[in-house]
Amino acid sequence: MQLLSRAMQYVVVAFMSALFLYPLYILFLISFSPIQYTLGSLRPLQWPEGFTLQNLVLALQGTNLIDPMLRSLLTASLVGAIALLLGIPAAYGLSRLTSTLANTISTLLFFVNMIPALVIAIPVSVSFIDLHLYNTVVGLALAQGLIALPFSIFLLLGAFQSLPKDLENQARVDGAGMLQTLYTLLVPLSKSAVAAAFLISWMLSWDEFTFATILSPITPTLPFVIYTNIYRGNILASSALSLVLTLPVIILTVMLQRYLRGEYLSGGLHG
Amino acid sequence: MRNLRLRWKESYSPILLVSPAIVYIFFFSIYPTLTAIFESFQTPLSSNTLSNYQGLIFFHLTNAIENTLIVSFGALAFQFFLAFIIAGLLAREFRGRRVFLTIVILPWGVATIVAAFVFSNIFPVSPPFGGYMNSFLALFGLPPVNWYSGYNSRVLVLILSDSWKNTPIVALILASGMTGISQEIYNAAALDGAGPIRRFLFVTLPNLRNFILIALVIRGISEFNIFAIPLVLVEYNPPFLTTLAYEFYSSTSSIYYSYAASTVLLAIVLVFTLVALKLRRTA
């Protein structure tokens, strides 16, 4: 009985793993198999047959990859910077506030997270035109920062709260100001959480579609270029660009796995 | 005197530390949201009017609301179904658990537009009856399906495509709740003769209530915002609130219609969230 249920468990694990890996597998198949086995066929093959770099070469010759990629990189790094610049002091401030105030602010952050990107993006695009921020990296980063900030605050708050309180009090007694305590003591002690907050914010921007579509369609980032290529029927280019977009994200997700916890992802709601 | 100043600093400086974030949120989130709501009641010719909403009804607003709700709740149901199985597995100790966790988290990191692209090859618009799902069905001798021939199959394709990327977050939230339920309760229930289904219904579900509601809120909110997936897979047919707003925005026929469509979306999100949070508080 015990043995049977163990066997069952592995069957379910294997099935679920296959289900979750399948779409990624298809992306690799389309990217690296000769086209007659994939897009060129009514019944594309489920397994790899032959291996070619021809698709990628062909796809990337016809598309401007470099500009959107640089723009994506720059935007994502700016979003990471915004998330830390505003997030570190905010998280520390929250940890020092009375619980009523801290809860009010957490609720505010949660509600901000809740507002649909489209609701925000359309009026912002109108004012960005006046401010000369429409179709700029800075403008897009300022909007995407909204998605990253609450996440970054809750991740950092968790990290600061896990440090022993005595350490901080000792520094304060020794005459260090609040900012000094924060930046010379707490931040260095939580550097892996700070790095995680930066990288996850980076990733959220790298993947982001809605703000990018509304706020920077003429000088687009990678996700919007993928969309226009799908729209025009350039499947090979779309698959090559998708691969470029996905590879760093796979590495980051595996690296940052231990920070991707339910409590941070739930944007300040507690169980 | 010095003491008083110190105390002033103690109680106000945390607020100063939080304030840049609050100011930023005000300018980039709250102010634009209020603008969108306000503008949805304006037209170039008149103010304080419902004419944008009335106009939208002519452009299938009710239909878009229906589709948004159907796909959202369909996707939520499917995601929770998968997530319960995954969280149940993750709550146990077994060889390969960490690898399984990694595999299950991976889609979370993949961009929605990439998910949309991949699923547009699994369920392609053209050639009809082609694509990876049909070639998979053919392995078992099953007949091919034209995924876009009718409303129901279109909705099914959208739900499946959306769920791949979004099941992981539900599974992670449920799993973090399950680690809090002690094994002893399960053992006691098993001794009392409760089978796996009854244990799930009477032990797991009530103990997970708050985690379920959190996952429901988080996912529900983004589910109503479903945008890239329908845009790539079905374009504007059937319409969703997001694609309706975008259609009017990008065709520049009337940006006020976009404001109206997005205000409806915001209202739905708000009502859903308040109801779910209310359920949570009474728990």
Side-chain angles (χ1 to χ4, degrees), chain B residues 208-226:
Chain B
L208 277 184
R209 179 178 174 142
N210 274 353
F211 289 90
I212 293 170
L213 285 168
I214 289 173
L216 199 62
V217 170
I218 298 298
R219 270 316 309 153
I221 292 169
S222 6
E223 212 58 66
F224 295 130
N225 285 304
I226 186 169

Side-chain angles (χ1 to χ4, degrees), chain A residues 46-64:
Chain A
Q46 296 285 339
W47 48 86
E49 179 79 60
F51 174 87
T52 177
L53 291 174
Q54 193 65 36
N55 298 339
L56 293 185
V57 173
L58 216 67
L60 299 179
Q61 269 169 0
T63 2
N64 181 359

Side-chain angles (χ1 to χ4, degrees), chain B residues 156-171:
Chain B
L156 180 72
V157 165
L158 292 176
I159 289 175
L160 294 179
S161 310
D162 178 74
S163 294
W164 176 64
K165 178 187 160 66
N166 294 316
T167 301
I169 189 169
V170 184

